[in-house]
Amino acid sequence: MSTQLTISPSPHISADSSIPKLMYGVIIALMPAFFVSIYFYGIGALLITFTAIVSCILFEFLIQKYLLKSKISISDGSAILTGLLIAFNVPGSLPLWIVVIGSLVAIGIGKMSFGGLGSNIFNPALVGRVFMLISFPVQMTSWPKPRILDFSFTDAITGATPLALVKEGLKNGEQFHDIISKAGISYSDMFIGNLGGSLGEISALALLIGGIYLLMKKIISWHIPVSVLGTMFVFSGILWLTNKNIYADPVFHLLTGGALLGAIYMATDMVTSPMTPKGQIIFGVGIGILTILIRAFGAYPEGVSFAILIMNAFVPILNIYTKPKRFGEIKIQSKE
Amino acid sequence: MSPVVIITIISLSSIGIVSALILYFIAQKFKVFEDPRIDKVEEALPSANCGGCGFPGCRNFAEACVKADDLSNLHCPVGGNDTMSSVASILGMDAVAQVKKIAVLRCNGACEYRPNTNIYEGADNCTVAANLYGGDTGCEFGCLGLGECVEVCDFDALYMDEKTGMPVVVEDNCTACNACVEVCPKDLFELRKQGPKGRRIYIACRNEDKGGIAKKACAVACIGCSKCVKECPHDAITIENFLAFIHDDKCKLCRKCVPVCPTNAILETNFPPRKPKPEIKKEPVVDLKQSIVAEGKVNEPEAKNNSNKETSDNN
Amino acid sequence: MLKTFSKGGIHPPENKFSVDKAIEVLPLPQKVSIPIAQHIGAPATPVVNKNDEVKTGQIIAKSAGFVSTNIHSSVSGKVVKIDKIVESSGYKKTSVVIEVKGDEWVETIDRSLDLKKEITIEQSDIINKILDAGIVGLGGATFPSHVKLSVPKGKKAEILIINGVECEPYLTSDHRLMLEKGEEVLVGTKILMKALGVTKAIIGIENNKKDAIEHLISLSKEYDGIEVNALKVKYPQGGEKQLIQALINREVPSGGLPIDVGAVVHNVGTAYAVYEAVQKNKPLFERVVTVTGDSIQKTSNFIARIGTPVSELIEAAGGKPDDTGKIVSGGPMMGKALNSLDAPVTKGTSGILLFPENKAHRKETKPCIRCAKCVSVCPMGLEPFLLMTLTQKRLFDKVEKENALDCIECGSCSYTCPADRPLLDYIRLGKSNVSQIIRSRNKK
């Protein structure tokens, strides 16, 4: 025979999906939020995002080439995504050198030290963010006020995030609705993104658009976002109903801080989330409860990143103890 | 000293003492009597936990040794006779010396002798491939070259030869633990007597096809011509399903069968080189007299190309 | 909402190129080689000898046990040899090779094409008739049909399900059969209902075969108890357990058989073969085979005699394209890659699929990113990634505990994996090892 036939076990066709496609899908879904960040934070947002992405790719390349001496896989989009998420998780006025260090920690410690994509336990972007938050608390918590379409390099006026304002105010014995009205924060601003906060988390609208895109493309499943946000809503709602003065209302919790960014884009990170639907729901519920606990009773005003990282650690055990329901597991009595 | 420190010291110490007492009583209550010889025997064993003895681990083997009345049915292939005699001395029994065995690969169908007929593109696992189809050559009995045996070998006694695409047994490391024999889907490994100075003669083929078909698929296949059977002065060779087999309990390593084989399917290892005999040269020119290579004296250019895998490791 | 099964599933591109090609009769080959093991179970025992003259439809190998069936000659001519011949798998299997001379059929076969509606056969004779005719499941699994019809003691068949799903991409043989031989399929269904003593039958057809659904619905009005149901297009709906769940919403218990929930599933091809066997006295020696592919000239649906070399079918479909890189017997999801064109058409050959070189290869395996897509598509609710890892680590007792034996080998996991990992390859390995362990455990 002139040409040799290929022999392989079935199936002989495969879906038109690949790791880069999944990664770039998430990146596309993050684009609306990216544009919103440029709209409100101008050139600073662009610079931080660019620095984070470039340094993530560079560190991954260097580590793979010189430390691990393995195949270079920077084109699979995972490093770009990590960079983008790091940028989305920092304030718009963060010095670029901190962004570079954060990227190094995210890629080097968060990802490559575990063996690269697929082997890491914790979400790399969040490892980077938490590292920066703990190491550079001042820079990481000075939030520039949003200035619409201002591309100048002048130092921005800093403000605080709604969550920080509320936390501070409650500590001083003020009441929740007084703080909100005093600060002049409206829910519509929170929804659109006209408020202080990390680059990517400000606009609930943009994040929701991306989330719908991800769900439609079947890149993520509904389990984690719905369970995280649902739990946050219910749990904060219960607290709010017990005392409307010292606890923020549930809508406020969902619209501020990293709730949506975390629930839709970071908790759903494939590598660090459980693989079974049941596990994903428990994972989401855990994140929701921990977030509200940290926000309401903890020292930090925001708790999504800590909550996700803590629940990441439970993923292996969730995978072991939450099995999907097998087909034919329960014998169905066939009597008509 | 402030009272805090004192209270701390007292409370921590008392917790420690109470815990120690609890542990002590529990340990007393649940003490299991074990024959102390089990520990001793286990210490004497190689701790490879390879399962070559037929038990799941060294501990189980040690227990079996202690329970057994005599050691004739128990043998640790990894430790060999030395280990068994020390086990025997611990237990006050006699060790039954067993002949040291070694795994041999009964296929010699490297790429050059066995042309590919198709391309395999599945998981890199022999059993997966074997369950799927006969193999990527015309021979359905031969080595698939995907290295599952290398994966299961706990002793680094196997590696894949890039050139031939087949596994190679590292004689010094092989403990005859039987793992490769069990895993090979084509049953190509056999434990044979290691032989004096590692000298062995065996038929490196499992092809049960008729001579013509076998020969077409692989240049070094046994074609069942029974020339070796006639040549053997010790009746050590039998033929079944067009395939010869040398019984190593009868073989006296006289080497007479090797040159008569028309396809060079009989391999001899670690022998001194023969005097070159040009008259037994055949087509295709496949010279597998590895002894030549083993001694580093290459008499013919062909011999170099066909250096046998097994011996090259001993050098 | 159309019915479908509840768990997992995928929707690969359908690529049913040959859907409007009417069934053609393939010219007789010069020589056929008929393997004696074309079904699941014990190979049949040859009852002819070398140099015997045989007629088309004559029995050449007898059933050797309960799970086994008869093999008939598909041509008339002389037996030239009975020998081990390299089969599609590359392994040698005993086959009967017959040199074709003319086409003389056994006299008892009714060769007319008239539809024979009245079912005169006694209920008790049907199973024997089906065994005599050597009928096996023609969907691809080739399980002897008479075994499925022999309901074990203590179980009761309540409903017959006819599988017209044809969920595999590319294949169209069942679709064409339903369109062209719809009435015969319905009579065959009636016979099967009589054999089982059930009053209800459902024919399940995926909604991408709208013409077949309409055709059978209009025909089925004359047949009591036969219902035609359209199903949502989703692979692997043709799996027995999936189809039962989709149509009557009963879950076959793990390790159980369809009869445990009172259902018996047969393929439309089988129903047609039953019609021919019972009404026309014609044993199973030919079947509809789809020949298709992306670059083949003339995609076709042939009626081919069992034992015809695959090369003849490809020749009749315009020849093998130069860029052919892989030839698959069956569908792209569960079919078997052939390594030789001399391989014969067997009872289980539903299609011959030619892939061009650029589609013949697997993509490179990348590390698992734990995206859990395999878990979400598995129709049996298993965790393919876990089964693969456990198998690679040779932890077969754990593989067993994770219900590996429930796997129906549909290939959805490997299909969907974005890292192109050979999940099913390893699950099969795990399954075969687990079965071995169970067998040796049962021996003890």
Side-chain angles (χ1 to χ4, degrees), chain C residues 21 43 47 60 68 87 118 127 165 178 194 211 226 229 237 247 268 292 295 308 312 334 345 359 366 395 401 415 423:
Chain C
K21 304 284 170 57
V47 290
I60 53 172
S68 179
E87 212 225 5
E118 295 80 3
I127 291 179
V165 170
M178 287 188 283
K194 190 169 180 183
D211 47 353
I226 300 183
N229 274 4
Q237 196 136 245
L247 286 173
V268 284
T292 183
S295 54
T308 310
E312 303 249 350
M334 291 184 80
V345 169
K359 284 193 180 175
K366 279 146 301 232
L395 300 169
K401 275 193 200 118
Y415 172 85
L423 293 156

Side-chain angles (χ1 to χ4, degrees), chain A residues 184-202:
Chain A
I185 312 163
S186 72
Y187 284 159
S188 64
D189 276 349
M190 286 194 242
F191 191 65
I192 287 164
N194 191 8
L195 73 170
S198 297
L199 286 181
E201 68 186 26
I202 44 174

Side-chain angles (χ1 to χ4, degrees), chain B residues 121 123 130 132-134 140 209, chain C residues 89 91-92 336 361-362 425:
Chain B
E121 245 184 44
L132 180 69
Y133 77 130
E140 68 177 90
D209 283 332
Chain C
S89 61
Y91 287 110
K92 291 177 193 65
K336 219 166 162 4
H361 298 289
R362 284 197 175 183
D425 297 10

